[in-house]
C-alpha cells in the first residue's frame, strides 16, 4: 500500500521508497514518544532530545510529545510530518478507487450455510474431491479453513467453516469475505430453524444465494415442498419467477455437484467480481492458530492486490513479514493473487479471525499502522446507538427500524409479527430481520450488529455470552411480556422517540435448590446466589430451560429466618415472589430492575 511518500500510485513497494534529495513525509500520530519519533526519522533519541531542547521542550526518551512539537523539529532531519489518521484515510480511499482499467476478474468466494445435518460438511468434501480427482497426484490436501477448486478453467474459493456463526461473526467485525452463499437444505427435511436463521443472515449481508437441495438420493426427498417453504421466507425460485437458483444435489452420492459449480460461476459472472492484482495486498483472516514448530500461523483470504513472500504486513494489531505462503494443497507459493486462501508464516503474534491484513511498504509503516489501530481501539466505539437510528428516522434519513425478535413460543411470534406489520407510519416501518423462538443467542447479537437492529425478547431470556457481547458491541436488547407495551414502544420509535426509561439491568442470578412449603401461604424458593446479588426491592424473572415463566417483584427475602435487603454471590437465601410460587428445583431466578 502506498501511503507515506508520494501521491502517485505505484505497483512496486520498492518504488515507494523516497529518493534522498526529497523531503520525506512521515506519519506522526497525535502523540508519540521521543524514542519512536527518533526511529521514524532515523535519528538517535539523544540527538532528537537536543533538538527538542533547542526548541525549548524538555522531554525524556520515553516521554510523549504532541504532533505539533514533532512536526516543528523533524524538518531538521529531512522529514515533513503528516497526521497519521489523514494519511490512513487517504490510503483507504485509495483502495476503493482502484483504477477500473487495472481491475481484472477474480474468483468468487463462497460460504456454505444451512441447518445442522443437512449436509454442509459432506458437500464441502464432495466439492473438494472433484478437484482432487482432476489434479495431478502429489498434492496433499490440507485443511486450512478455506480451499480453492477449479471448474471449467475457473477458480472458485470455498470457506471451509460451515455455519452462519463464522459468517456473521466476520461480518460483525467488518470483514465481508463472502461473495456468494450456498444454502444447503435437505430435501427430505425441508426448511428448519437454522435454515431460516441462515436466510436472514445472508439477506442482511445482501449476498446472493444459491440453494443446494441436498439428499435427493433419498426416496422421501421432496424438492417441490422445499421450494414452497423457501418462498414463504422470501426466496422465490427461478421456476416461479424469482431470482433464486436451486440445484438438486446429493452430496453423499456426488450427484449434481458440477451443476452446482456451474451455477456458482453464473452468479459470479453476474456479480462482476473484480480486483487489482497489481497493488499491495488486502485480506481477511479466516483462521489463526499457534503452531508448535512454526509459530503463529494464519489463513488469510486475499481480497485485493497480491501478497508476496517478503512483504511487510499488519494483521489486526499484529506486525510481521511474510516468511512463507502455503496453499490449501500444502504447496509453498511465492505470491497469492486476489481470492486466494493462503497460510501465512512470519507474524510475531497471533491475530484473530476476522482481522484485516494490509501489506505495507516498510517495517516502519507497519509500526505506525499498528500504533494507530491501537489508539483507535482505545477511542470510543463508532457503532450507531438506538438513539442515532431513531434520530435518522426522525430526520427522514432512514425509513426503517430493523428488529430481531426472539419469543417463547411460535404462537407469540405470529401475534408479534402481525402487530408489528400494522405499525408503519408514512415516515418509517419496522422491518423484522429475524424472528425465532428461544433465548437470545450470540448469533442474534452478531446479526443485530451487522444490520444495526434492535433485539426484542418476548417472554424469553438472553444467554450470558450474548449479554456480554451485546454490552461490548453496544447492541440494544429490550424485554417485554405484554405485546401492547412492546408495540407502543416500537410505535414511539417509528415516530422518532426513544423511551430511554426501559433499560433492564440484571443484578444477578440464583438457582433454586429446594422448594419449601409454608403452610397455606405461598411457597419459598430455597436458593443459592450463583452470580451477582439478590436485592429485596428488585424484580425476578423465573427461568426454566431458557423460558420465562414469570416476571414480577420480590415479596420476601430471607436468610436464616431473618429478613434481609441483599444477598451476595455464593450465599443461600429464601425467596418469596408476589403472585408466583410454582417453583421447581433447577429454576433460575434472574434478579433485575429497570433503570
Ligand atoms: P452438516 O451438519 O450440515 O455439516 O451435515 P453433514 O455433512 O455432517 O451430514 C449429516 C448427515 O447427512 C451425514 O450422516 C451425511 O452422511 C448425511 N448426508 C449428507 N449429504 C447426504 C446426501 O446427499 N444423501 C444422503 N442420503 N445423506 C447425506
Amino acid at each position: 500500500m502506498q501511503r507515506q511518500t508520494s501521491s502517485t500510485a505505484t505497483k512496486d513497494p520498492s518504488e515507494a521508497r523516497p529518493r534522498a534529495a526529497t523531503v520525506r513525509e512521515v506519519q506522526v500520530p497525535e502523540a508519540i514518544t521521543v524514542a519512536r519519533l527518533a526511529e521514524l526519522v532515523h535519528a538517535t533519541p539523544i540527538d532528537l532530545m537536543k533538538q527538542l531542547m533547542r526548541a525549548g521542550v524538555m522531554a525524556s526518551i520515553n516521554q510523549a510529545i504532541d504532533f505539533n512539537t514533532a512536526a516543528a523539529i523533524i524538518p531538521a532531519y529531512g522529514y515533513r510530518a503528516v497526521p497519521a489518521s489523514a494519511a490512513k484515510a487517504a490510503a483507504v480511499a485509495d483502495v476503493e478507487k482502484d483504477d477500473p482499467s487495472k481491475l481484472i476478474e477474480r474468483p468468487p468466494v463462497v460460504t456454505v450455510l444451512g441447518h445442522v445435518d443437512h449436509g454442509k460438511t459432506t458437500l464441502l468434501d464432495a466439492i473438494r474431491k472433484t478437484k482432487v480427482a482432476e489434479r495431478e497426484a502429489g498434492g496433499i490436501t490440507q485443511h486450512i479453513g478455506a480451499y480453492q477448486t477449479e471448474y471449467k478453467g475457473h477458480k472458485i474459493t470455498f470457506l471451509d467453516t460451515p455455519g452462519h456463526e463464522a459468517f456473521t461473526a466476520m461480518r460483525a467485525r467488518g470483514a465481508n469475505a463472502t461473495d456468494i452463499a450456498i444454502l444447503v437444505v435437505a430435501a427430505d427435511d425441508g426448511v428448519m430453524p437454522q435454515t431460516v436463521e441462515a436466510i436472514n443472515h445472508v439477506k442482511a449481508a445482501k449476498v446472493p444465494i444459491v440453494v443446494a437441495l441436498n439428499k435427493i438420493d433419498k426416496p422421501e426427498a421432496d424438492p417441490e415442498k422445499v421450494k414452497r417453504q423457501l418462498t414463504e421466507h422470501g426466496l422465490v425460485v427461478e421456476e416461479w419467477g424469482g431470482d433464486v437458483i436451486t440445484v438438486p444435489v446429493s452430496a453423499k452420492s456426488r450427484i449434481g455437484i458440477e451443476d452446482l459449480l456451474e451455477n456458482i460461476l453464473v452468479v459470479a459472472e453476474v456479480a462482476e467480481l473484480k480486483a487489482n492484482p497489481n497493488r499491495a495486498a488486502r485480506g481477511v483472516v479466516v483462521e489463526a492458530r499457534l503452531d508448535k514448530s512454526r509459530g503463529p500461523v494464519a489463513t488469510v483470504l486475499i481480497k485485493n492486490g497480491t501478497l508476496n513472500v517478503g512483504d511487510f504486513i499488519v494483521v489486526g494489531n499484529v506486525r510481521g513479514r511474510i516468511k512463507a505462503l502455503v496453499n490449501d494443497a500444502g504447496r509453498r507459493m511465492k505470491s497469492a493473487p486476489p481470492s486466494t486462501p493462503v497460510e501465512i508464516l512470519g507474524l510475531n503474534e497471533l491475530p484473530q479471525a476476522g482481522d484485516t491484513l494490509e501489506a505495507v511498504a516498510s517495517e516502519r509503516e507497519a509500526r505506525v499502522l499498528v500504533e494507530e489501530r491501537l489508539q483507535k481501539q482505545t477511542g470510543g466505539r463508532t457503532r450507531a446507538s438506538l438513539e442515532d437510528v431513531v434520530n435518522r428516522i426522525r430526520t427522514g434519513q432512514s425509513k426503517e427500524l430493523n428488529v430481531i425478535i426472539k419469543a417463547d413460543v411460535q404462537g407469540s411470534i405470529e401475534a408479534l409479527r402481525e402487530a408489528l406489520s400494522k405499525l408503519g407510519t408514512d415516515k418509517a416501518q419496522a422491518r423484522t430481520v429475524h424472528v425465532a423462538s428461544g433465548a437470545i443467542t450470540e448469533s442474534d447479537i452478531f446479526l443485530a450488529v451487522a444490520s444495526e437492529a434492535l433485539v426484542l425478547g418476548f417472554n424469553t431470556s438472553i444467554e450470558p455470552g450474548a449479554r456480554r457481547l451485546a454490552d461490548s458491541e453496544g447492541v440494544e436488547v429490550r424485554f417485554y411480556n405484554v405485546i401492547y407495551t412492546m408495540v407502543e414502544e416500537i410505535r414511539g420509535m417509528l415516530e422518532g422517540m426513544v423511551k430511554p426509561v426501559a433499560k433492564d439491568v440484571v443484578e444477578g442470578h440464583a438457582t433454586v435448590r429446594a422448594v419449601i412449603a409454608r403452610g397455606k401461604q405461598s411457597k419459598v424458593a430455597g436458593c443459592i446466589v450463583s452470580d451477582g446479588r439478590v436485592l429485596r426491592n428488585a424484580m425476578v424473572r423465573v427461568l426454566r430451560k431458557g423460558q420465562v415463566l414469570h416476571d414480577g417483584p420480590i415479596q420476601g427475602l430471607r436468610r436464616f429466618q431473618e429478613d434481609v435487603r441483599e444477598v451476595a454471590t455464593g450465599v443461600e437465601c429464601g425467596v418469596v415472589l408476589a403472585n408466583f410460587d410454582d417453583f421447581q428445583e433447577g429454576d433460575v431466578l434472574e434478579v433485575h430492575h429497570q433503570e
Side-chain angles (χ1 to χ4, degrees), residues 51-246:
Q51 283 289 342
L52 281 165
M53 242 185 269
R54 268 174 226 138
V57 180
M58 303 292 283
S60 65
I61 186 162
N62 288 317
Q63 201 168 322
I65 57 172
D66 64 15
F67 176 87
N68 289 338
T69 310
I73 62 158
I74 63 172
Y77 302 92
Y79 285 89
R80 195 168 75 80
V82 295
S85 48
K88 164 85 176 166
V92 171
D94 192 9
V95 172
E96 265 77 61
K97 279 198 224 125
D98 256 318
D99 180 350
S101 69
K102 291 185 178 148
L103 297 176
I104 60 158
E105 197 182 306
R106 66 170 174 87
V109 178
V110 181
T111 300
V112 175
L113 306 152
H115 195 72
V116 66
D117 279 344
H118 278 199
K120 298 180 292 291
T121 313
T122 315
L123 183 66
L124 279 163
D125 281 350
I127 294 168
R128 190 199 294 269
K129 279 176 189 139
T130 46
K131 187 192 173 191
V132 171
E134 282 167 14
R135 191 166 52 196
E136 77 280 19
I140 306 150
T141 324
Q142 294 219 119
H143 281 268
I144 64 168
Y147 67 84
Q148 219 169 35
T149 189
E150 211 169 299
Y151 183 70
K152 293 195 173 160
H154 295 273
K155 289 190 168 121
I156 306 174
T157 303
F158 283 88
L159 293 182
D160 213 352
T161 23
H164 50 255
E165 282 79 6
F167 177 80
T168 326
M170 273 212 203
R171 269 181 41 73
R173 309 202 54 211
N176 287 338
T178 303
D179 301 309
I180 298 170
I182 296 188
L183 181 68
V184 179
V185 187
D188 60 333
D189 203 22
V191 170
M192 298 301 278
Q194 284 164 14
T195 319
V196 178
E197 223 172 282
I199 291 173
N200 292 330
H201 280 289
V202 173
K203 273 192 197 158
K206 299 194 172 70
V207 166
I209 300 185
V210 174
V211 178
L213 296 167
N214 193 27
K215 307 201 185 182
I216 49 145
D217 57 297
K218 285 191 155 185
E220 58 273 38
D222 187 352
E224 293 308 308
K225 184 176 139 200
V226 178
K227 289 178 197 170
R228 274 198 304 279
Q229 292 175 326
L230 289 171
T231 309
E232 284 163 24
H233 293 283
L235 295 187
V236 184
V237 303
E238 278 188 313
E239 300 105 286
W240 301 348
D243 60 355
V244 176
I245 298 173
T246 54

Side-chain angles (χ1 to χ4, degrees), residues 210-522:
V210 174
V211 178
L213 296 167
N214 193 27
K215 307 201 185 182
I216 49 145
D217 57 297
K218 285 191 155 185
E220 58 273 38
D222 187 352
E224 293 308 308
K225 184 176 139 200
V226 178
K227 289 178 197 170
R228 274 198 304 279
Q229 292 175 326
L230 289 171
T231 309
E232 284 163 24
H233 293 283
L235 295 187
V236 184
V237 303
E238 278 188 313
E239 300 105 286
W240 301 348
D243 60 355
V244 176
I245 298 173
T246 54
V247 185
V249 298
S250 167
K252 200 171 162 189
S253 319
R254 310 246 184 101
I255 301 167
I257 305 296
E258 299 206 333
D259 199 12
L260 181 64
L261 298 178
E262 178 102 37
N263 277 294
I264 290 170
L265 291 179
V266 170
V267 175
E269 179 96 34
V270 174
E272 292 190 49
L273 306 167
K274 299 214 164 124
N276 174 9
N278 294 312
R279 55 165 300 138
R282 285 204 141 211
V284 54
V285 175
V286 177
E287 238 177 58
R289 72 199 145 80
L290 206 55
D291 188 287
K292 270 196 197 115
S293 54
R294 300 187 296 169
V297 181
T299 298
V300 172
L301 179 72
I302 308 299
K303 294 183 71 180
N304 201 5
T306 298
L307 188 63
N308 305 295
V309 172
D311 280 356
F312 292 102
I313 50 164
V314 172
V315 184
N317 298 329
V318 177
R319 273 181 305 123
R321 186 173 191 184
I322 303 287
K323 270 196 250 161
L325 296 169
V326 183
N327 74 3
D328 56 325
R331 290 212 180 84
R332 287 197 168 221
M333 316 205 297
K334 284 209 176 74
S335 59
S339 293
T340 315
V342 270
E343 270 193 343
I344 61 168
L345 272 66
L347 289 166
N348 53 12
E349 276 170 66
L350 199 63
Q352 284 178 25
D355 277 347
T356 51
L357 169 144
E358 276 180 62
V360 292
S362 65
E363 166 125 47
R364 202 184 61 199
E365 209 173 311
R367 277 180 198 279
V368 172
L369 192 54
V370 167
E371 201 160 277
E372 213 179 276
R373 285 186 176 179
L374 288 171
Q375 265 184 6
K376 207 179 246 171
Q377 273 169 17
T378 45
R381 78 174 66 255
T382 51
R383 195 170 321 294
S385 67
L386 180 62
E387 279 77 8
D388 296 335
V389 172
V390 170
N391 255 329
R392 270 187 250 148
I393 291 176
R394 186 169 44 220
T395 55
Q397 287 167 286
S398 168
K399 290 195 172 311
E400 273 178 349
L401 176 69
N402 287 344
V403 293
I404 291 169
I405 304 174
K406 292 307 275 282
D408 50 349
V409 288
Q410 197 61 35
S412 317
I413 290 178
E414 302 309 331
L416 292 168
R417 224 200 257 277
E418 166 92 20
L420 283 182
S421 69
K422 289 185 187 147
L423 260 186
T425 67
D426 51 345
K427 262 191 170 171
Q429 303 241 303
R431 191 172 78 93
T432 30
V433 178
H434 179 57
V435 194
S437 57
I440 296 164
T441 63
E442 285 187 11
S443 174
D444 295 323
I445 304 298
F446 278 135
L447 183 56
V449 171
S451 48
E452 283 195 347
L454 162 71
V455 182
L456 308 173
F458 186 81
N459 273 344
T460 190
S461 58
I462 180 165
E463 291 177 356
R467 162 55 70 196
R468 280 193 295 277
L469 190 64
D471 288 346
S472 70
E473 294 291 337
V475 169
E476 184 97 12
V477 182
R478 296 191 173 201
F479 293 93
Y480 306 90
N481 38 31
V482 182
I483 290 188
Y484 175 79
T485 323
M486 184 181 108
V487 168
E488 283 312 300
E489 229 174 90
I490 305 281
R491 189 199 303 282
M493 290 176 200
L494 291 176
E495 284 163 3
M497 290 175 302
V498 183
K499 213 168 119 207
V501 280
K503 178 150 173 63
D504 192 76
V505 178
V506 174
E507 287 286 350
H509 295 89
T511 309
V512 177
R513 287 280 184 81
V515 183
I516 307 144
R518 277 200 319 188
K520 278 186 205 139
Q521 285 175 301
S522 55

